[in-house]
């Protein structure tokens, strides 16, 4: 019997993990530069946390089971409900606005497709306690700065910004959509760009099979391509302000207003946005927006929130398309080799002293010919080998060989252990 990882789950071999680490490093650097503090929550949560507020799409994708205590639980498919739950617990003590980030691993039973797996890591950055559009602009700027820090410009990545309030106003005031129908209609509109006719069926269902209103909203959906008329409406004032702040920050070249961006999650209440590759070949790199009611609904605390989630999968694909397959980098700086078994105590003492200095050291774990040891040193990408043999040892010395050039020098063991620079 042979086992492989489950579909949609990844084995992280060292080369792939190195690339993931680089993404995580950039995520942490940018979040920290924006003054965000890191938090985390449990990977398993009560099922209801998601069934209440996340919306149909995510609920259908839950990994859920009954635990041994009879509780209905789910692996977290997103971080936002956990964040809302945690902030609500300490809302009174926390200084607002709260700026928090997290890098959780998330689980969704997705249909297999490019850019979507059944587990992924997601940078979440959220601002809690500020309702104005400068907070929206701040998180969008942070998302853009992540892709900039990974070396992508406006020619490669774009952020499309919209506002559900603008859509909601038109839908209810002019197209006869009733308040309770709005979430379903917005979810159907979210699928419109990708799914076309299939989304039209969802729209019909959301409007209770009312053909006239479905037709009206479908015509409206087709008009969303041109942002100008909607952007001029009074309801678009926060969106205009947000776009203005992004321009002032210097990131205007990345930004497009596009009312076709609606977002699939149910809890968004205002500005929403997504980052995409400029060629639009891949799924969204990042998605987020304002959700001013979730904290009240989940924790009984009335605080406005805005934030985003950015996954490692599409980002990884973009980096791989640009840089080629992930390559491992050397794990070792210095390889300590011995001529004979009697040299080993000196070699162990030196290796340990070097490791204490933070130098990455490896040596052969069994007695081997010197040539074999040097082969392993080269395979590891070590820049230096230190060779200890009986005659050097007697003189309190060792031979340092630069593996790239073959240049050799005799250096005292004492000097090697305490201060020799392996430059
Ligand atoms: P989301 O749009 O469901 O939003 O996910 C955000 C991002 O996570 C996506 O744009 C994508 O990069 C990544 N992602 C989602 N699902 C998958 C998957 N199955 N495989 C790979 N990557 C995936 C949320 O999760 C919101 N909670 C984000 C948020 C935070 N909104 C406000 N604050």
């Amino acid at each position: 019997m042979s086992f492989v990882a489950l579909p949609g789950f990844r084995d992280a071999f060292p080369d792939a993990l190195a690339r993931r680490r680089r993404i995580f490093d950039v995520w942490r650097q940018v979040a920290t530069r924006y003054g965000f503090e890191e938090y985390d929550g449990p990977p398993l949560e009560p099922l209801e946390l998601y069934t209440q507020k996340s919306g149909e799409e995510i609920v259908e994708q839950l990994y859920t089971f009954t635990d041994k205590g009879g509780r209905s639980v789910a692996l977290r498919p997103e971080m936002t409900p956990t964040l809302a739950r945690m902030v609500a617990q300490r809302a009174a003590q926390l200084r607002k606005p709260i700026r928090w980030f997290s890098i959780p691993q998330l689980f969704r039973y997705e249909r297999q497709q490019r850019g979507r797996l059944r587990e992924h890591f997601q940078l979440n950055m959220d601002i809690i306690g500020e309702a104005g559009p400068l907070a929206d602009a701040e998180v969008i700027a942070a998302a853009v700065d992540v892709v900039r820090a990974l070396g992508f410009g406006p020619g490669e990545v774009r952020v499309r910004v919209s506002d559900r309030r603008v859509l909601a106003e038109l839908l209810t005031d002019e197209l006869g959509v009733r308040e309770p129908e709005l979430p379903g209609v917005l979810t159907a509109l979210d699928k419109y760009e990708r799914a076309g006719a299939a989304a039209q069926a969802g729209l019909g269902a959301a409007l209770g099979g009312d053909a006239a209103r479905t037709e009206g909203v479908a015509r409206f959906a087709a008009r969303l391509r041109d942002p100008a008329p909607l952007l001029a409406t009074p309801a678009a004032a926060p969106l205009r302000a947000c776009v203005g702040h992004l321009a002032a920050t210097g990131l205007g070249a990345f930004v497009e207003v596009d009312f076709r961006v609606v977002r699939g999650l149910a809890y968004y209440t205002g500005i929403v946005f997504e980052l995409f590759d400029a060629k639009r070949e891949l799924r969204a790199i990042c998605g987020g927006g304002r959700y001013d009611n979730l904290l009240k609904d989940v924790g009984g605390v009335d605080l406005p929130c805005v934030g985003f989630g950015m996954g490692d999968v599409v980002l990884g694909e973009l980096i791989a398309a640009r840089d080629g397959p992930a390559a491992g980098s050397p794990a070792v700086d210095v390889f300590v080799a011995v001529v004979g078994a009697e040299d080993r105590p000196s070699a162990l003492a030196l290796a340990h002293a070097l490791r204490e200095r933070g130098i990455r050291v490896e040596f052969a774990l069994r007695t081997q010919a010197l040539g074999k040891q040097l082969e392993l040193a080269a395979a590891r990408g070590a820049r230096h080998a230190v060779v200890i043999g009986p005659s050097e040892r007697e003189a309190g010395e060792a031979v340092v060989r630069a593996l790239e050039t073959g240049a050799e020098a005799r250096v005292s063991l004492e000097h090697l252990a305490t201060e020799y620079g392996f430059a």
Side-chain angles (χ1 to χ4, degrees):
M1 196 192 268
S2 73
F3 293 105
V4 292
L6 288 167
F9 284 76
R10 297 168 288 181
D11 292 324
F13 289 97
D15 49 358
L17 195 64
R19 181 161 277 174
R20 181 188 293 173
R21 285 262 162 252
R22 160 126 178 78
I23 294 176
F24 284 19
D25 287 349
V26 167
W27 280 352
R28 279 210 172 81
Q29 279 159 16
V30 173
T32 309
R33 266 197 253 151
Y34 274 74
F36 281 60
E37 291 177 284
E38 188 164 2
Y39 70 98
D40 197 5
L44 199 64
E45 288 274 22
L47 172 63
E48 257 178 86
L49 186 63
Y50 307 108
T51 50
Q52 260 191 21
K53 286 293 150 202
S54 292
E56 234 172 86
E57 194 170 293
I58 261 195
V59 169
E60 280 167 12
Q61 297 171 341
L62 283 174
Y63 277 89
T64 173
F65 59 94
T66 306
D67 76 4
K68 290 183 178 156
R71 300 171 199 90
S72 296
V73 295
L75 283 174
R76 60 187 176 192
E78 58 157 338
M79 197 60 177
T80 314
T82 299
L83 171 70
R85 189 176 66 58
M86 287 172 63
V87 169
Q89 281 173 54
R90 298 220 177 148
Q93 298 100 288
L94 293 166
R95 176 82 200 211
K96 266 68 85 187
I98 298 158
R99 292 168 175 257
W100 279 8
F101 83 97
S102 190
I103 306 181
Q105 187 174 24
L106 305 177
F107 304 88
R108 301 184 188 180
Y109 198 87
E110 287 257 7
R111 198 167 46 79
Q112 290 281 69
Q113 56 188 308
R114 193 167 167 214
R116 290 291 178 264
L117 301 173
R118 291 180 178 165
E119 59 66 33
H120 71 284
F121 291 88
Q122 196 188 77
L123 168 67
N124 278 251
M125 288 181 70
D126 292 85
I127 296 180
I128 297 124
E130 178 50 61
L134 189 49
D136 304 63
E138 179 80 335
V139 295
I140 296 172
V144 172
D145 273 342
V146 167
V147 292
R148 285 184 61 236
L150 288 166
F152 298 106
E156 288 109 15
V157 174
R158 317 281 297 170
V159 48
R160 301 161 76 212
V161 201
S162 167
D163 194 327
R164 279 192 170 192
R165 287 166 292 201
V166 178
L167 298 175
E169 191 176 87
L170 262 128
L171 288 166
T172 51
D173 291 3
E174 292 177 23
L175 297 163
V177 176
R178 296 177 204 111
E179 205 66 44
E181 293 169 335
L182 251 174
V185 169
L186 289 172
T187 305
L189 281 181
D190 175 63
K191 299 212 177 78
Y192 231 81
E193 205 183 349
R194 254 180 299 137
Q200 179 116 3
L203 197 56
L207 290 167
D210 181 334
R213 289 191 303 148
T214 304
E215 186 51 39
V217 176
R219 250 185 280 123
F220 168 72
R223 275 194 288 129
L224 290 178
R225 211 174 283 274
D226 176 15
L230 286 180
L231 193 56
T233 59
L239 182 57
R240 290 195 296 273
C242 172
V243 171
H245 296 319
L246 287 167
T249 307
L251 300 173
F254 285 88
V255 181
E256 283 167 24
V257 172
D258 191 332
F259 289 101
R260 286 171 295 181
V261 171
V262 183
R263 306 275 300 128
L265 291 158
Y267 48 65
Y268 292 111
T269 56
I271 288 178
V272 284
F273 62 94
E274 289 184 338
L275 264 68
F276 281 95
D277 62 299
K279 290 192 214 134
R280 296 299 315 277
E281 284 168 355
L282 307 170
R283 299 294 307 267
I285 299 167
C286 161
R290 176 162 285 289
Y291 50 102
D292 286 347
N293 299 329
L294 189 67
L295 245 74
K296 199 169 38 196
D297 295 341
V298 165
V301 180
D302 195 1
L303 281 173
C305 310
V306 62
F308 68 80
M310 180 185 295
D312 66 328
V313 179
V314 177
L315 216 45
E317 285 183 9
L318 272 179
I319 295 170
R322 182 190 61 192
D323 300 349
S329 52
V332 171
D333 302 310
V334 174
F335 196 99
V336 179
V338 293
V339 172
E342 38 325 324
D343 303 314
R344 180 152 296 129
S346 303
L348 287 175
L350 177 63
H352 195 254
L354 293 176
R355 286 171 173 168
E356 288 282 292
R357 288 173 55 196
I359 296 168
R360 301 174 302 170
V361 178
E362 187 181 348
F363 47 80
L365 294 174
R366 57 161 81 160
T367 307
Q368 269 182 338
L370 187 56
K372 274 261 176 248
Q373 296 175 60
L374 293 177
E375 263 175 38
L376 182 58
R380 293 294 201 234
R383 297 189 57 196
H384 294 93
V386 174
V387 183
I388 305 181
S391 63
E392 292 91 4
R393 190 158 43 80
E394 251 158 57
E397 292 177 339
V399 173
V400 178
R401 178 192 289 201
L403 287 170
E404 221 166 85
T405 60
E408 289 189 349
R410 274 178 84 120
V411 182
S412 86
L413 282 167
E414 171 71 19
H415 184 54
L416 280 173
T418 55
E419 55 192 2
Y420 185 83
F422 290 93

